[in-house]
Amino acid sequence: AWIEPDFSSEPNRQFYLIYPSILEDWGEYQYKLSSVKNISMISVPENEGEYKASIFENGRQELFSVISILRKMHNEGVEWSEMEVSVPDMDSYGTYIERDFLQNQIPFSIRYSKNLSDYAAGQLFSQIQECVSENYSYDSVKTLFLNDEIPWNRKGTVDDFLLFGRLNNCLCSVEQSETYGKKSVWELSFSSKKHDKRSDVNLNEGIETLYKSLKVNCEALVYAKTFSALKTAWEKFRDDFINQTEIKKLVLSDKIISRCISTLNEFVKIEEEYSDCKVKNPYSFFVKELGKIQYLEQGLSNVVQVLPYRTASCAPYKVHVVLDSAQDSLSVYESFKDFKFVND
């Protein structure tokens, strides 16, 4: 929910929130919603019900057992949509679940939100910032252009640009010096190309043009004085570097970028409403905020649902499997571990 809820306009209606404590962002809304008279809370029942626990030597063995259970249940007539796997530590298990479920043809949907900056497409903005802060070192530029979730314009020139950097030893930035002044390693290499190695790459004039355009666009973003100027700089960067046709095919990446820019648009609107309040570094502020905003892609409903442990605690499924249900990984333990008298 991106908008703060308001129930005051409908005082005669009664609202019921069922198991709100299982929501990841419940803390943000708890105070406001609890104070609304026409909202009733239905809490998670204390009765745990019946369950069966199995012990495994390692996570790999446990995951294989879960796949076997799901397959067995499906063969006995239970629909995939009636099964659920809950995971306390999705960051550690998520990749393995995705890989093994795909290999074993288990249809699934991972319902786990991550910060925008944790997605490859969302990392684009911090990668741009790193290029500027490191004066376009080879590693920073390579990290940017090797982001597989961003389809680049002039892909052939981009590849030649990275090859040029490797052949001409553009491995670190050049800071202020008596010999060269403040120049980047790329600028020095363009004026002293090594023609004895891959001269076809070194003679590609598009490489230098690409670098100059990258430098101008990145610095327009990072050094923007206002969010409005930042938005204009982004539109220029997008048009110059991102293939708009291809990114539409990368559905998740397109959604992530769109969500990031919707956040930027919110900042532009706030800036216009409160013109006296200025942010010292709009781009840095924007990048930090992307690390706080969570995004969850709409998943499929007719498959096995893979959910975080708390969210799945009251899920209405016939088969409910909890992975890695050790004491140090369950949410209940996490809630109390800060108390000094609780032993690990």
Side-chain angles (χ1 to χ4, degrees), residues 1-235:
W2 303 345
I3 303 174
E4 184 175 314
D6 182 11
F7 297 91
S8 60
S9 60
E10 300 180 277
N12 296 323
R13 296 186 63 182
Q14 185 68 27
F15 299 90
Y16 294 90
L17 294 183
I18 301 175
Y19 307 158
S21 59
I22 69 175
L23 301 176
E24 294 181 8
D25 58 352
W26 171 236
E28 299 180 24
Y29 300 98
Q30 182 176 6
Y31 177 77
K32 181 176 178 62
L33 295 179
S34 298
S35 63
V36 179
K37 295 182 179 180
N38 57 332
I39 293 182
S40 299
M41 308 289 180
I42 299 177
S43 302
V44 176
E46 296 183 2
N47 183 12
E48 296 181 356
E50 297 181 1
Y51 63 89
K52 177 183 177 182
S54 301
I55 300 175
F56 303 92
E57 294 182 359
N58 53 63
R60 185 74 185 89
Q61 188 183 83
E62 180 182 18
L63 187 53
F64 180 79
S65 177
V66 168
I67 292 172
S68 299
I69 291 171
L70 298 179
R71 178 68 66 186
K72 180 176 180 292
M73 291 292 122
H74 183 65
N75 292 338
E76 292 176 356
V78 181
E79 297 294 333
W80 293 122
S81 58
E82 297 176 318
M83 293 185 273
E84 176 273 332
V85 177
S86 57
V87 188
D89 186 2
M90 193 73 80
D91 290 333
S92 298
Y93 272 80
T95 302
Y96 300 106
I97 291 173
E98 183 174 359
R99 181 195 65 190
D100 289 358
F101 277 31
L102 285 172
Q103 288 179 350
N104 290 275
Q105 298 182 335
I106 303 290
F108 69 98
S109 177
I110 296 181
R111 307 287 293 153
Y112 177 55
S113 62
K114 297 191 294 185
N115 294 331
L116 288 171
S117 60
D118 290 336
Y119 291 90
Q123 292 170 2
L124 168 67
F125 301 96
S126 61
Q127 289 166 354
I128 290 173
Q129 187 179 43
E130 188 174 353
C131 284
V132 176
S133 66
E134 295 191 8
N135 200 18
Y136 309 94
S137 66
Y138 181 78
D139 282 344
S140 64
V141 173
K142 182 179 72 172
T143 300
L144 173 67
F145 280 136
L146 291 185
N147 188 331
D148 293 334
E149 294 301 313
I150 305 297
W152 302 104
N153 285 328
R154 299 170 288 173
K155 186 63 170 62
T157 304
V158 168
D159 292 340
D160 284 351
F161 176 67
L162 296 177
L163 179 57
F164 173 90
R166 183 163 59 84
L167 294 175
N168 290 275
N169 300 324
C170 303
L171 301 180
C172 59
S173 59
V174 178
E175 299 297 338
Q176 186 74 29
S177 69
E178 295 179 1
T179 305
Y180 299 109
K182 191 172 184 180
K183 287 187 176 181
S184 77
V185 67
W186 297 94
E187 292 167 352
L188 294 173
S189 296
F190 290 138
S191 60
S192 57
K193 301 173 184 177
K194 295 183 178 182
H195 294 291
D196 58 323
K197 294 182 179 180
R198 294 293 299 272
S199 59
D200 54 333
V201 172
N202 287 321
L203 295 176
N204 185 347
E205 295 181 358
I207 292 175
E208 187 170 357
T209 302
L210 176 70
Y211 168 77
K212 290 179 179 178
S213 178
L214 176 68
K215 192 170 186 292
V216 169
N217 277 278
C218 288
E219 292 180 7
L221 283 163
V222 174
Y223 297 137
K225 299 298 183 182
T226 64
F227 289 112
S228 179
L230 174 51
K231 181 181 177 181
T232 301
W234 160 252
E235 292 171 350

Side-chain angles (χ1 to χ4, degrees), residues 1-3 24-25 28-29 112-119 122-123 125 255-267 270 285-297:
W2 303 345
I3 303 174
E24 294 181 8
D25 58 352
E28 299 180 24
Y29 300 98
Y112 177 55
S113 62
K114 297 191 294 185
N115 294 331
L116 288 171
S117 60
D118 290 336
Y119 291 90
Q123 292 170 2
F125 301 96
K255 290 179 179 179
I256 294 298
I257 293 293
S258 297
R259 181 66 183 93
C260 292
I261 300 308
S262 81
T263 298
L264 176 58
N265 290 334
E266 292 172 9
F267 292 155
I270 293 173
F285 181 87
F286 172 60
V287 171
K288 288 180 181 178
E289 286 301 303
L290 296 184
K292 302 176 183 177
I293 300 173
Q294 292 192 327
Y295 179 84
L296 175 62
E297 184 184 18

